[in-house]
């Protein structure tokens, strides 16, 4: 049809200009002449299973589903991602997708996506949320350093959605915000990880209890700062000394000396 418009003798085009332009603009508005990602009716439709809440220890098997119910382009492949990272061995050429979480724990919570790649169209995805209550899974309990050294403390968590980390230092038992006038405190906050770095430890300011808070969970960590011990020449470690705490070493070496003295006598 379109070809015949353009093959018309030039003389007749002028007379047809109005209906021709009108027809073209109608086609453009409906979007059927130039289908593309903006054409709403050409967007693939994906139906997903409901969001899931994992309760640790419930042992209930979790199955996530995505069904590509309509698509105008042929499918190349599809796969699952968790927090934006492709889950290995989930790639298939299937419009009905399923992902099983066999041992559902808080670690498995997060944002899952099913992703569909097409032969000649942009990829499409849908989200299935897997929620779990937050939990702290690891942290440094204490940092024991010399004055002037740096301290590093961290906390790791699982759970989705991620609550915000809060960090306090206890002043006379009262949790207070860390005062950073000296500029020695550096905090790294990620969704599932937080870190406090304290540079150039000050014995008068830094020792004490620190408190991490994640939702309703509170954990304590301690910074211990000791004066830097300068080694006196007579304290230079003796390679021959037997293993054990320092006091034992010194008593042993005393005995050894006595023994040797007695032997030589
Ligand atoms: C997806 O398709 C399968 C097979 O037809 C069906 O059993 C399942 O219920 C569908 N899932 C959703 C979320 O629609
Ligand atoms: C995926 O499957 C569809 C339907 O069976 C088929 O048309 C298409 O060619 C397949 N794509 C690949 C890359 O194998
Ligand atoms: C899902 O689609 C959105 C919107 O196009 C995109 O920003 C996002 O990166 C996609 N996610 C995945 C996992 O492909
Ligand atoms: C502390 O101060 C330093 C220097 O101004 C700054 O770079 C750092 O981000 C601050 N730390 C915090 C936790 O605000
Ligand atoms: C935190 O989450 C990211 C993705 O969001 C993941 O790559 C990383 O392994 C997680 N870290 C921990 C400590 O769980
Ligand atoms: C005590 O023994 C330990 C372990 O062998 C050693 O590292 C340390 O230097 C010793 N201390 C003294 C005072 O000899």
């Amino acid at each position: 049809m379109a070809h015949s418009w353009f093959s018309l003798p030039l003389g007749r085009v002028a007379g047809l200009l109005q209906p021709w332009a009108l027809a073209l603009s109608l086609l453009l508005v409906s979007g059927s002449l130039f289908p593309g990602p903006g054409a709403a009716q050409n967007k693939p439709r994906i139906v997903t299973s409901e969001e899931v809440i994992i309760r640790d220890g419930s042992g209930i098997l979790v199955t996530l589903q995505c069904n590509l119910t309509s698509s105008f382009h042929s499918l190349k492949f599809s796969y699952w991602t968790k927090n934006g990272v492709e889950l290995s061995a989930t790639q298939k050429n299937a419009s009905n997708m399923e992902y099983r979480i066999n041992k559902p724990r808080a670690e498995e919570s997060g944002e899952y996506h099913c992703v569909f790649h097409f032969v000649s169209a942009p990829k499409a995805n849908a989200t299935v949320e897997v929620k779990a209550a937050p939990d702290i899974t690891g942290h440094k309990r204490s940092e024991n350093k010399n004055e002037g050294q740096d301290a590093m403390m961290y906390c790791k968590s699982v759970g989705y959605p991620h609550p915000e980390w809060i960090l306090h230092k206890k002043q006379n038992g009262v949790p207070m915000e860390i005062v950073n006038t000296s500029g020695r405190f550096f905090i790294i906050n990620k969704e599932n990880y937080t870190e406090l770095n304290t540079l150039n430890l000050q014995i008068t300011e830094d020792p004490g209890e620190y408190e991490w808070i994640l939702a309703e969970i509170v954990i304590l960590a301690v910074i211990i700062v000791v004066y830097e011990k300068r080694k006196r020449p007579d304290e230079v470690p003796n390679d021959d000394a037997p293993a054990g705490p320092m006091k034992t070493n010194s008593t042993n070496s005393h005995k050894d000396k006595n023994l040797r003295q007695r032997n030589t006598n």
Side-chain angles (χ1 to χ4, degrees):
M1 225 346 219
H3 282 286
S4 64
W5 288 112
F6 293 101
S7 61
L8 285 172
L10 247 168
R12 292 186 61 191
V13 169
L16 286 165
L17 192 60
Q18 263 188 329
W20 179 83
L22 184 67
L24 183 60
S25 61
L26 282 172
L27 285 170
L28 282 170
V29 166
S30 74
S32 55
L33 189 60
F34 305 108
Q41 70 270 44
N42 278 0
K43 269 194 182 157
R45 251 191 291 277
I46 303 166
V47 179
T48 71
S49 49
E50 302 277 301
E51 70 169 44
V52 181
I53 299 168
I54 291 178
R55 288 183 181 84
D56 258 354
S58 73
I60 298 166
L61 192 117
V62 170
T63 306
L64 315 181
Q65 287 182 335
C66 273
N67 290 352
L68 183 68
T69 55
S70 81
S71 165
F72 287 75
H73 298 273
S74 75
L75 187 66
K76 229 196 298 186
F77 55 84
S78 53
Y79 54 85
W80 289 93
T81 67
K82 181 191 174 189
N83 301 323
V85 179
E86 186 175 339
L87 292 167
S88 61
T90 62
Q91 193 164 310
K92 283 180 182 150
N93 177 14
S95 47
N96 286 1
M97 293 173 70
E98 203 170 86
Y99 184 73
R100 278 168 198 263
I101 303 172
N102 288 319
K103 285 177 188 158
R105 291 169 302 168
E107 285 99 305
E108 264 67 57
S109 65
E111 210 173 66
Y112 287 75
H113 282 94
C114 51
V115 186
F116 294 94
H117 283 248
F118 301 99
V119 173
S120 56
K123 62 179 181 176
N125 70 54
T127 311
V128 186
E129 286 189 325
V130 177
K131 295 181 176 174
D135 197 7
I136 292 175
T137 52
H139 73 281
K140 205 161 184 174
R141 285 162 209 281
S142 70
E143 185 74 313
N144 197 334
K145 288 290 175 89
N146 288 342
E147 202 180 11
Q149 287 186 313
D150 303 338
M152 191 278 265
M153 293 199 295
Y154 69 85
C155 252
K156 284 195 288 188
S157 74
V158 291
Y160 179 85
H162 304 274
E164 229 178 275
W165 289 102
I166 299 168
L167 176 61
H168 288 142
K169 182 179 194 295
K170 287 211 173 171
Q171 308 278 6
N172 303 318
V174 182
M176 307 281 280
E177 219 168 288
I178 291 178
V179 177
N180 187 29
T181 44
S182 63
R184 295 180 297 112
F185 297 96
F186 293 85
I187 295 170
I188 299 168
N189 272 339
K190 290 183 188 164
E191 286 186 324
N192 51 11
Y193 181 82
T194 175
E195 193 178 292
L196 168 69
N197 286 287
T198 308
L199 307 186
N200 186 20
L201 284 167
Q202 299 298 303
I203 205 156
T204 50
E205 295 167 33
D206 302 330
E209 270 189 324
Y210 292 74
E211 189 180 79
W212 298 102
I213 304 166
L214 183 73
E216 276 103 54
I217 310 161
V218 180
I219 63 138
L220 293 174
V222 179
I223 291 187
I224 298 162
V225 183
V226 293
Y227 283 111
E228 192 177 8
K229 201 179 114 204
R230 287 191 186 80
K231 284 194 180 110
R232 282 181 280 137
D234 59 312
E235 272 182 358
V236 168
N238 174 5
D239 284 345
D240 299 328
M246 250 168 93
K247 273 176 193 165
T248 324
N249 292 8
S250 56
T251 40
N252 280 352
S253 48
H254 260 289
K255 273 182 203 161
D256 286 351
K257 253 182 228 166
N258 290 343
L259 273 173
R260 259 182 243 129
Q261 273 162 7
R262 249 178 262 145
N263 286 348
T264 47
N265 284 348

